[in-house]
Amino acid sequence: MIKQRRNKQKGITIIEFTLIVLTVMLMLIGIIEIGRYVFSLQMMNEMTRKAARLATVCYVLDQNEIPTMDEVVENYPADFEAENLVIEYLDSSGTAVDLTNYGALSAEAQGSLFATIRFVRARVINYQYQFNGLLSFIGTSGLLTMPEFQTTLPAESLGVVRPREDDDDSGVIIDC
């Protein structure tokens, strides 16, 4: 009788082991994928911080070059494009200052416009994170629109280099 009961349960251990290992592996892969997502969130936070910091010390007309600088690009998450990072200069009320014709303005008008800039904002727009594998059911086929990250810092020099006593009169300004 005991021998007959053992024969009926003779493969149950392998089935239980398979079910448990499968469940643990699915949970482990899910945890890793969520960890990658959280890491991407942190990378975007750091990227906007660095971009805003560069924008506060670089020349105003370099705003389109900042998203492609090495210090910023090294923090790009997967499938991130420079077009997803926007640099804006803000006045004291937080309204974006229009710099589209800045280079064509007279020196007096440039100075007046330059004087209105009080803050610099770097923000991430229209970026979608792609989940892989098991979590591809999230969002639209694994694509999840990320929240709009932004960092706002007070404007500093904005690329204006103040002469020092040891400077020569070459007039060369080293760019950002």
Side-chain angles (χ1 to χ4, degrees):
M1 179 114 170
I2 293 175
K3 197 171 196 177
Q4 189 178 14
R5 190 180 307 164
R6 280 190 191 161
N7 286 340
K8 288 183 178 179
Q9 296 185 0
K10 196 172 183 176
I12 197 77
T13 305
I14 192 75
I15 292 172
E16 289 174 349
F17 176 77
T18 303
L19 292 174
I20 291 171
V21 166
L22 181 63
T23 305
V24 169
M25 291 301 290
L26 287 174
M27 287 177 41
L28 185 62
I29 291 170
I31 289 170
I32 290 170
E33 189 66 25
I34 290 172
R36 283 184 55 235
Y37 172 74
V38 171
F39 181 70
S40 293
L41 292 174
Q42 178 58 29
M43 287 173 57
M44 287 195 310
N45 186 36
E46 181 67 10
M47 177 183 44
T48 59
R49 188 194 66 76
K50 284 186 176 184
R53 178 68 187 130
L54 282 170
T56 63
V57 296
C58 291
Y59 187 56
V60 174
L61 294 182
D62 289 339
Q63 79 183 69
N64 295 328
E65 295 175 17
I66 291 171
T68 61
M69 291 184 174
D70 290 340
E71 295 85 1
V72 177
V73 172
E74 69 186 13
N75 290 304
Y76 277 9
D79 300 326
F80 192 87
E81 300 291 330
E83 295 80 35
N84 297 118
L85 181 62
V86 177
I87 307 296
E88 297 172 315
Y89 296 93
L90 311 172
D91 61 14
S92 58
S93 66
T95 305
V97 176
D98 184 20
L99 298 173
T100 53
N101 297 323
Y102 184 80
L105 297 174
S106 66
E108 185 177 314
Q110 283 182 352
S112 174
L113 186 60
F114 190 81
T116 63
I117 298 173
R118 295 287 176 252
F119 300 100
V120 175
R121 176 172 58 198
R123 63 189 176 113
V124 173
I125 59 169
N126 301 328
Y127 174 64
Q128 294 185 330
Y129 180 80
Q130 175 67 53
F131 280 104
N132 297 322
L134 297 175
L135 298 179
S136 63
F137 64 88
I138 294 176
T140 308
S141 299
L143 280 176
L144 183 66
T145 302
M146 298 293 267
E148 189 175 289
F149 278 82
Q150 69 178 15
T151 300
T152 304
L153 296 175
E156 292 179 13
S157 65
L158 294 174
V160 176
V161 180
R162 290 170 179 72
R164 297 187 317 236
E165 291 178 15
D166 60 341
D167 282 345
D168 59 4
D169 292 326
S170 66
V172 175
I173 297 174
I174 298 173
D175 199 6
C176 216

